[in-house]
Amino acid sequence: MRQFVCLAHEVPTTPSFSLDDLAGGAGRLDALCRSLTAALLRSHGIREDVRVHLVLQDELTISVDGREVRRLNPDERSTAARIRTALEHRDEAIGALPAEPSPGFEVYRRGFAATLDELADEATIVHLHEDGDPLVVGPLPEEPAFVLSDHGDFTDAERETLAEYTDRRVRLGPHALHADQAITVAHHALDTDGYERF
Amino acid sequence: MRQFVCLAHEVPTTPSFSLDDLAGGAGRLDALCRSLTAALLRSHGIREDVRVHLVLQDELTISVDGREVRRLNPDERSTAARIRTALEHRDEAIGALPAEPSPGFEVYRRGFAATLDELADEATIVHLHEDGDPLVVGPLPEEPAFVLSDHGDFTDAERETLAEYTDRRVRLGPHALHADQAITVAHHALDTDGYERF
């Protein structure tokens, strides 16, 4: 399974935002939507072996599972509506138990460190970083969990958390990309078995 | 220079659509916007060595030049607004002369064949096709123009046009991707000099 942890520093944790202003009033929810769909969708289908964890303001985490999610479309607006619906159910998440607003969507009351802690046993935590090694140096991780920040970089506290959990620090190419582009490139590297099979 | 020719079969050629319904009423303009921004943007910057040609209903072509375009944002809605503004100026395109609604944007009264004909002298026309050779077989094209269709496949007439102009038929990986994802992967292959430099 491939997992992606996407940090959103400004996306609201309540559903009180307009779908008409995702880039502004909703704290760049547009970008988070693109990351979600880049991770889960390809042409004519869903990537079933993928889970995405959207960490909102280090407070709530929405996890979306490719095996279960239904009717996810690639456009930002309908994806944002799905996230808004998930946030409407946030109060149903109690302790470690998630709310389950729709198939494949879970809302957890946990932030970044707790999300990484959940993943650490099962996955290789991969920190995408411009000073890391190319992903294809050494064996490809079989159960990777890629960690990406939004348009804002990781905070100092997030870097400390990451340092505690990171198994590999990896760069994908010579240029810094948007998070959704980085997700697409990571999928491509894995889809091709490290650029060996096209 | 890298160029991308993106066919949109259902996107309106007039500005009479709502930004609130890009995926429906605007004929999947959302997807075309993602292709445009995937081609032109990376994190914190514009790819200046890129031109994108959006062919709408084989009737109008909007060309966007990375050297000149300003204030292009990655979200679908603001990008769609830029395209809508361009379409408001469509009547200023006369004969072979384009309308120039804003820096970097040109609107031409030409369809697919005429757009390829313009590019054929300067660029290697690359048809992305699942039965093509991997892009990295043989030397990378130095001046590629990648041709992509939207969610609908190429029509028979478009295939005939393509056959006339195509220099290489190329596949990017083992899975069919959305057009914007394919653009990101093509950039990645070229950014890394064919997966040699990370």
Side-chain angles (χ1 to χ4, degrees):
Chain A
M1 172 174 286
R2 303 175 190 170
Q3 299 190 74
F4 298 91
V5 179
C6 301
L7 299 194
H9 295 98
E10 296 166 24
V11 167
T13 58
T14 61
S16 55
F17 55 84
S18 163
L19 298 178
D20 295 340
D21 188 22
L22 300 178
R28 299 299 310 277
L29 179 53
D30 63 304
L32 195 67
C33 291
R34 287 195 298 280
S35 290
L36 181 62
T37 53
L40 284 166
L41 300 182
R42 57 187 185 208
S43 190
H44 309 302
I46 283 182
R47 290 183 180 267
E48 295 196 351
D49 61 333
V50 169
R51 268 175 75 86
V52 186
H53 310 278
L54 310 175
V55 182
L56 311 187
Q57 297 195 33
D58 202 18
E59 174 189 332
L60 282 184
T61 297
I62 301 176
S63 297
V64 188
D65 191 316
R67 288 168 302 197
E68 296 176 27
V69 69
R70 298 287 175 271
R71 297 183 300 284
L72 184 67
N73 292 317
D75 67 295
E76 293 165 9
R77 189 183 178 94
S78 74
T79 305
R82 298 290 293 273
I83 289 173
R84 192 169 65 172
T85 299
L87 291 174
E88 287 168 358
H89 292 260
R90 57 168 282 166
D91 289 343
E92 298 161 24
I94 298 173
L97 290 177
E100 298 179 17
S102 65
F105 274 75
E106 293 176 327
V107 184
Y108 290 90
R109 286 192 180 274
R110 61 188 180 210
F112 184 41
T115 295
L116 288 188
D117 204 62
E118 277 296 314
L119 299 180
D121 284 344
E122 64 192 59
T124 301
I125 308 289
V126 181
H127 174 186
L128 293 178
H129 191 288
E130 60 188 12
D131 293 331
D133 292 320
L135 179 59
V136 289
V137 169
L140 291 171
E142 292 192 7
E143 301 285 337
F146 296 92
V147 183
L148 306 96
S149 186
D150 57 10
H151 57 290
D153 207 348
F154 295 108
T155 65
D156 288 345
E158 287 163 355
R159 280 181 215 281
E160 280 181 33
T161 301
L162 255 176
E164 194 176 328
Y165 289 99
T166 294
D167 297 304
R168 288 176 63 172
R169 239 172 38 147
V170 159
R171 75 171 182 273
L172 295 171
H175 303 303
L177 301 177
H178 287 299
D180 62 305
Q181 296 169 337
I183 288 169
T184 296
V185 168
H187 270 320
H188 177 61
L190 297 172
D191 287 347
T192 57
D193 288 338
Y195 312 122
E196 297 290 339
R197 190 176 61 85
F198 288 90
Chain B
M1 172 175 286
R2 303 175 190 171
Q3 299 190 73
F4 298 91
V5 178
C6 301
L7 299 194
H9 294 100
E10 296 165 24
V11 167
T13 58
T14 61
S16 55
F17 56 83
S18 164
L19 298 178
D20 295 340
D21 188 21
L22 300 178
R28 300 299 309 277
L29 179 53
D30 63 304
L32 195 66
C33 291
R34 288 195 298 280
S35 290
L36 181 62
T37 52
L40 283 166
L41 300 182
R42 57 186 184 210
S43 190
H44 309 301
I46 283 183
R47 290 183 181 267
E48 295 197 350
D49 61 334
V50 169
R51 267 174 76 86
V52 186
H53 310 278
L54 310 175
V55 182
L56 311 188
Q57 298 196 33
D58 202 17
E59 176 190 330
L60 281 184
T61 297
I62 300 176
S63 296
V64 187
D65 191 316
R67 288 167 303 197
E68 298 177 26
V69 70
R70 297 287 174 272
R71 297 182 300 282
L72 184 66
N73 292 317
D75 67 295
E76 293 166 9
R77 188 182 179 95
S78 73
T79 305
R82 298 291 291 273
I83 290 174
R84 192 169 67 173
T85 299
L87 291 174
E88 288 168 357
H89 292 260
R90 55 167 283 164
D91 290 343
E92 298 160 22
I94 298 172
L97 290 178
E100 299 179 17
S102 65
F105 274 74
E106 294 177 327
V107 184
Y108 290 89
R109 284 193 181 273
R110 62 187 180 211
F112 184 40
T115 295
L116 288 189
D117 204 62
E118 277 295 315
L119 300 180
D121 285 344
E122 64 192 61
T124 301
I125 307 288
V126 181
H127 175 186
L128 293 179
H129 191 289
E130 62 188 11
D131 293 332
D133 292 320
L135 179 59
V136 288
V137 169
L140 291 172
E142 292 191 7
E143 301 285 336
F146 295 92
V147 184
L148 304 98
S149 185
D150 58 9
H151 57 289
D153 208 348
F154 294 109
T155 65
D156 288 345
E158 287 163 355
R159 279 180 216 282
E160 281 181 32
T161 301
L162 255 176
E164 194 177 327
Y165 288 98
T166 293
D167 297 304
R168 289 176 63 172
R169 239 169 42 144
V170 159
R171 76 171 181 275
L172 295 171
H175 303 303
L177 301 177
H178 286 299
D180 62 304
Q181 296 170 336
I183 288 168
T184 297
V185 168
H187 270 319
H188 177 61
L190 297 172
D191 287 347
T192 58
D193 287 339
Y195 311 123
E196 296 291 339
R197 189 176 62 86
F198 289 90

